[in-house]
Amino acid sequence: QLQLVESGGGLVQPGGSLRLSCAVSGLTLDYYFITWFRQAPGKEREGVSCIGRSSSGGWTYYLDSVKGRFTISKDNAKHTVYLQMNNLKPEDTANYYCAADRNLGICSLNRFVYHYWGQGTQVTVSS
């Protein structure tokens, strides 16, 4: 059974850092596109960062507002995808989800194309 479990969220001050983890099971990580999404109260879920399959080059993509601050990576041996978040801002506050899909031609930040989702982990940036 395919499962994604997020962890690593918490409360952090502006300018601080967090590393989120997405542990996957029931799939071969290297065959899937994995994307981090976030959803703040009253807002739509938005794609934050995607990492592609190794066979497709393993390219990474980022939402403009997080470029230079967030880094996505994966460890196939540990079946885990990470999102390192630095210089966090209050507007980064949201519930963060990871999502997976195999049948994409390229990485996508579009939430409607992903079939598998985790339950989310809350990130709160506040002083």
Side-chain angles (χ1 to χ4, degrees):
Q1 181 178 356
L2 195 150
Q3 190 173 18
L4 296 87
V5 179
E6 303 93 336
S7 63
L11 173 64
V12 63
Q13 292 186 344
S17 298
L18 283 175
R19 188 177 77 159
L20 304 184
S21 298
C22 173
V24 305
S25 59
L27 62 84
T28 302
L29 184 58
D30 213 24
Y31 294 165
Y32 282 74
F33 294 85
I34 307 292
T35 295
W36 284 97
F37 289 82
R38 66 186 180 186
Q39 187 167 19
K43 294 188 176 181
E44 292 187 349
R45 191 170 296 189
E46 66 176 354
V48 175
S49 181
C50 175
I51 187 164
R53 299 180 298 204
S54 296
S55 60
S56 301
W59 296 105
T60 57
Y61 296 86
Y62 298 91
L63 184 68
D64 284 347
S65 62
V66 308
K67 285 180 181 177
R69 300 189 298 122
F70 291 9
T71 303
I72 192 170
S73 62
K74 65 180 178 179
D75 186 330
N76 288 335
K78 294 183 177 180
H79 309 287
T80 302
V81 176
Y82 303 98
L83 186 68
Q84 177 67 42
M85 306 186 296
N86 298 327
N87 191 21
L88 282 160
K89 303 176 180 182
E91 51 264 42
D92 295 318
T93 295
N95 205 359
Y96 283 71
Y97 302 86
C98 59
D101 206 278
R102 182 170 183 171
N103 299 315
L104 303 179
I106 59 173
C107 242
S108 174
L109 299 183
N110 180 351
R111 68 184 187 272
F112 295 110
V113 304
Y114 289 87
H115 288 86
Y116 306 104
W117 292 84
Q119 295 301 306
T121 185
Q122 177 67 36
V123 171
T124 302
V125 185
S126 175
S127 55

